[in-house]
Amino acid sequence: MSTPKRRLLEEANQQTTLASPAKIRRAEIGTQSRALASEESSAGEYEEPEIEGMYLDTVNRANLDFDFEQICSVSLSTNNVYSCLVCGKYYQGRGKQSHAYFHSINEDHHVFINLHTLKVYVLPDNYEVRDRSLNDIKAVIRPEFSPAQVRSLDRSCEQSRDLNGRRYLPGFVGLNKIKCNDYINVVVQALAHVPPIRDTLLLLPDIEKQTPLVQRLAGLLRRMWHPKLFKAHISPHELVQEILTRSKRRFGLDLPGDAFDLLTWLLNALHIDLGGSKKRNSSIVYRAFQGEILATTQPIEDTKSRKHQQDPIEMDAHKSSVKVLKMPFLTLSLDLPPKPLFADDDNDDENGKRSAIPQVALVSLLQRYNGSTISEWRGEAKKYQLTKLPKYIICHVKRFSKSEFSVEKNPTVVNFPIRNVPFGELLPKSPDLASEQDSNTTYNLISNICHDGQPEQRQNTSATSDEGILAESHYLIYVHHKANDKWYKIRDLQVEHIMPQMIFLSDTFVQIWERNDANKGST
C-alpha cells in the first residue's frame, strides 16, 4: 500500500475511542476511496465525482435555521463554527479532533458549511465542495443586495414562497416572540421601513468590521427583505442578545419593556456606531430624524401675575430670567389630556350613550410646538417652537404615567389622518426666525406602533420610565407598503393585510411620519 493511503488509514483508526466500529469502518472506506482517487488523479485516470458522491443529496434545507447565535452545540465556543447541512446543528472546527468531525462519523452526516467563510466541506474526508446548488444556502446565511435591488424594494409587491410553499411579502415578515420581546420586534419592524436606515444597513460594506450591534441589526434586516427565505418567519434572537449585552440588561426578556425607550436608545447607539458625532448630519440617523427646536423657559415666579389659578401662564419678556435655547431633537413627545376620573356628557357617542373614553386630534397635540403654547414643568414655564423639520418625524404619545406604586395608562383615543398632515404649520411665521425649509412640509404616516392592554401594577416602580406592561398586553405595529399602497398589521409572527380604518382601533404609541418628498433622490 502506498504511503499516502497508509497515512489516511492511520488517521481514521485514531478515532476508535469516539465512534463505533461500524462507523469507523465506513470512515476507513471513505478515506481509502479518497486515497485511491488521489493516486488515480496523479496518473491522469481520475474523474470528478458526481453530486451523489459528494453527499449533496443528503442536504436537508428544511432543517436549516441560521437565525440563532453561531455557537457550537457541544463546546459552546463561537470560534470556527460549522453548520451541519443535514441536521442543522452547529459544531466547532473540522479537524481530526473536532466536534464536527466526530459528528460526521457518529451520525453519518457529511456536509458542513463554515458560517464565517461560507465554504462547504465534506467530512470526515475533509475536502471542499464548490457547487452552485449551495448558493441559496449561502444567500440565506448572509443575504446581499445591490443598489438596484434596494431601489426597487418600495416599488415591488411581488410575493415569495418559502420551502413549504407559504407565501410571504419580503420586508413584511413576522418575528418570533421569544419571551417578552414584542417591544423589540415592533421597533425593528419600524426601522426596517424607514428607507434611509434600511438602505444604509442593506448596503453597508465590510459588515464584519462593524460593531456587533450594527452587524446583528443589519443581518436581521437583510433576512427580512430577502426574497428566498427557507421559512416565512425570522427569529431576532441574535439581535435581542446583543441588545441585552450592549444595554447592560437595561432591556431584557424577563419583563415587558417600553418600545419608545428602546427606540431612542437604539437610534443613539446606531448614531455612535455609524461614526456619528454632535455635528448635524454626521450620521444617517441624524440625516433622517434630526430637526431643530427653539425652547424658551422662565421661572414661574417671574411670569406675569394671574388673577385666577386657571388662567393661562404668560411669560414676561422684559425680565432677564427668560432663557432661549436652540436644540436638536430626534423625537417629539405629545402630552395627552389628563385621564378623566368620571364620564361626562361631553363624551356621549352618536347613539346618545355615555362613553368614558375621551378623544383628541393629533393636530391639537402638536400645538405644543407652535411657539405660543406655554406649559408648566418643574417650576418653570416652557414653550417650544419648531424651527427645522427633518425628513422623518417620530411622534411619541405619552400614554403611561408612573407613581411609586402603580402604572397608569391613558386610554385617550388619538384621531389623525394618515396623509398630508401639515407639520409645516408649526414653523414660525416670522421670516427672520424661520430656517430654510423645503416647499413641501406635509407628511404621510409610514408606521404606527400601538399598545393593547393595561399597564402592570407592581411595587417599587421607578417614575422615570414608561415601562410596565402586563403579560396579557402586547405591542403591535401597522406598516404601510408603498408599492401596493396597502397597510399591514404585524404582531410578532402574525402578518395580515388590513383596511386603513383599522389603524385607529389600537392605542397609538409611536408614529413615524415621512415628508412627501423625502424619498426623492434616495439610494
Side-chain angles (χ1 to χ4, degrees):
M1 185 181 296
S2 64
T3 301
K5 184 161 61 177
R6 184 182 300 110
R7 185 173 64 253
L8 290 171
L9 287 174
E10 290 174 354
E11 292 173 348
N13 289 333
Q14 292 177 0
Q15 311 303 322
T16 54
T17 60
L18 296 166
S20 65
K23 291 175 181 176
I24 292 296
R25 180 56 184 162
R26 288 199 296 270
E28 291 176 352
I29 294 174
T31 53
Q32 290 179 13
S33 301
R34 292 297 297 168
L36 180 61
S38 177
E39 293 177 354
E40 293 176 347
S41 177
S42 61
E45 300 174 358
Y46 177 68
E47 295 181 357
E48 285 293 328
E50 298 179 355
I51 289 182
E52 288 78 12
M54 294 190 293
Y55 302 106
L56 295 192
D57 58 330
T58 65
V59 173
N60 189 348
R61 288 167 174 78
N63 291 336
L64 304 183
D65 190 346
F66 302 108
D67 293 339
F68 295 96
E69 187 177 4
Q70 298 177 2
I71 183 172
C72 176
S73 59
V74 179
S75 67
L76 303 182
S77 172
T78 58
N79 296 325
N80 198 25
V81 177
Y82 288 75
S83 174
C84 174
L85 296 185
V86 181
C87 66
K89 294 181 179 179
Y90 292 170
Y91 295 97
Q92 184 182 18
R94 58 182 175 88
K96 300 296 187 293
Q97 300 296 325
S98 68
H99 299 292
Y101 188 90
F102 299 148
H103 177 75
S104 69
I105 296 176
N106 292 329
E107 302 298 333
D108 204 20
H109 296 173
H110 300 285
V111 189
F112 294 79
I113 186 169
N114 186 297
L115 296 176
H116 177 69
T117 65
L118 300 185
K119 292 183 178 181
V120 180
Y121 295 88
V122 167
L123 298 180
D125 302 310
N126 200 15
Y127 64 91
E128 184 179 354
V129 177
R130 296 183 178 90
D131 193 279
R132 288 180 296 178
S133 66
L134 300 171
N135 288 347
D136 62 330
I137 298 177
K138 298 178 181 180
V140 168
I141 298 176
R142 194 176 301 161
E144 295 182 353
F145 293 82
S146 67
Q149 289 175 318
V150 170
R151 285 193 297 269
S152 67
L153 293 180
D154 290 328
R155 298 194 297 264
S156 173
C157 55
E158 182 179 355
Q159 291 188 333
S160 301
R161 290 182 182 270
D162 64 6
L163 291 180
N164 297 321
R166 180 182 175 185
R167 291 182 177 272
Y168 72 93
L169 188 62
F172 297 80
V173 180
L175 300 177
N176 288 349
K177 184 176 182 181
I178 304 170
K179 288 179 71 176
C180 298
N181 64 302
D182 54 297
Y183 72 104
I184 299 178
N185 289 349
V186 293
V187 170
V188 172
Q189 294 283 4
L191 293 181
H193 292 88
V194 177
I197 304 295
R198 176 199 65 194
D199 298 353
T200 297
L201 295 177
L202 294 186
L203 297 174
L204 198 63
D206 300 325
I207 190 172
E208 64 278 357
K209 298 181 181 179
Q210 302 293 331
T211 64
L213 180 64
V214 173
Q215 291 184 36
R216 301 294 183 265
L217 182 59
L220 181 56
L221 262 61
R222 292 180 182 194
R223 290 194 293 272
M224 291 173 63
W225 286 97
H226 188 50
K228 296 182 180 180
L229 294 175
F230 291 165
K231 300 176 181 178
H233 57 83
I234 300 173
S235 174
H237 178 81
E238 285 190 293
L239 176 63
V240 171
Q241 292 298 325
E242 180 57 32
I243 289 176
L244 264 65
T245 303
R246 177 72 176 269
S247 67
K248 298 180 180 179
R249 306 197 72 84
R250 173 182 172 185
F251 305 101
L253 294 175
D254 297 330
L255 293 174
D258 178 77
F260 176 73
D261 196 14
L262 173 66
L263 176 61
T264 54
W265 176 87
L266 186 56
L267 288 178
N268 283 287
L270 288 177
H271 169 70
I272 295 173
D273 290 356
L274 295 175
S277 64
K278 293 183 179 180
K279 295 182 179 180
R280 184 173 180 82
N281 295 330
S282 58
S283 76
I284 188 60
V285 174
Y286 276 15
R287 290 194 292 273
F289 295 113
Q290 190 181 67
E292 283 185 354
I293 199 169
L294 197 68
T296 305
T297 62
Q298 186 176 39
I300 289 294
E301 58 269 18
D302 292 341
T303 59
K304 293 181 179 181
S305 59
R306 294 177 288 175
K307 294 182 179 180
H308 304 285
Q309 189 67 24
Q310 295 79 12
D311 292 343
I313 302 174
E314 292 186 27
M315 291 186 177
D316 192 343
H318 299 290
K319 294 184 178 180
S320 59
S321 58
V322 175
K323 296 181 180 179
V324 180
L325 178 64
K326 180 179 290 187
M327 55 187 182
F329 72 87
L330 292 180
T331 64
L332 295 178
S333 293
L334 307 178
D335 293 321
L336 289 173
K339 180 180 178 181
L341 297 177
F342 305 99
D344 54 38
D345 294 336
D346 294 336
N347 292 326
D348 290 351
D349 60 20
E350 59 183 7
N351 296 322
K353 296 182 179 180
R354 184 167 295 177
S355 173
I357 302 179
Q359 301 185 25
V360 64
L362 176 67
V363 176
S364 299
L365 299 180
L366 289 173
Q367 297 309 306
R368 179 187 185 188
Y369 300 98
N370 63 4
S372 59
T373 301
I374 301 176
S375 59
E376 181 180 352
W377 189 67
R378 293 186 178 180
E380 287 187 325
K382 292 178 175 285
K383 66 177 180 179
Y384 303 96
Q385 172 69 70
L386 280 175
T387 58
K388 188 173 183 62
L389 293 173
K391 294 181 179 179
Y392 295 86
I393 297 178
I394 300 175
C395 292
H396 168 221
V397 179
K398 299 175 69 174
R399 286 200 175 274
F400 299 102
S401 60
K402 284 197 170 188
S403 64
E404 186 177 355
F405 302 106
S406 65
V407 182
E408 291 188 357
K409 177 181 176 181
N410 192 323
T412 300
V413 176
V414 179
N415 297 317
F416 54 90
I418 60 177
R419 297 181 187 273
N420 299 320
V421 174
F423 280 86
E425 294 182 356
L426 300 172
L427 296 173
K429 304 301 187 291
S430 177
D432 57 337
L433 291 179
S435 59
E436 294 183 2
Q437 294 289 330
D438 295 333
S439 58
N440 195 345
T441 54
T442 59
Y443 287 72
N444 297 334
L445 185 68
I446 60 173
S447 62
N448 184 30
I449 296 176
C450 298
H451 176 262
D452 282 344
Q454 291 298 318
E456 179 181 8
Q457 307 299 323
R458 61 174 184 242
Q459 300 293 326
N460 300 326
T461 311
S462 171
T464 60
S465 173
D466 280 348
E467 293 179 1
I469 314 300
L470 280 174
E472 292 78 11
S473 65
H474 209 88
Y475 281 107
L476 61 140
I477 185 171
Y478 298 94
V479 184
H480 180 247
H481 190 24
K482 297 178 183 177
N484 55 16
D485 195 24
K486 292 182 178 180
W487 283 88
Y488 293 86
K489 175 184 175 181
I490 304 178
R491 178 169 176 157
D492 294 328
L493 289 175
Q494 302 174 7
V495 181
E496 58 179 319
H497 166 245
I498 63 165
M499 299 298 293
Q501 293 81 355
M502 296 182 65
I503 299 175
F504 311 101
L505 297 181
S506 301
D507 297 330
T508 184
F509 187 54
V510 178
Q511 297 178 335
I512 300 182
W513 297 83
E514 180 186 57
R515 196 167 62 197
N516 277 324
D517 61 346
N519 243 357
K520 294 181 180 179
S522 61
T523 303

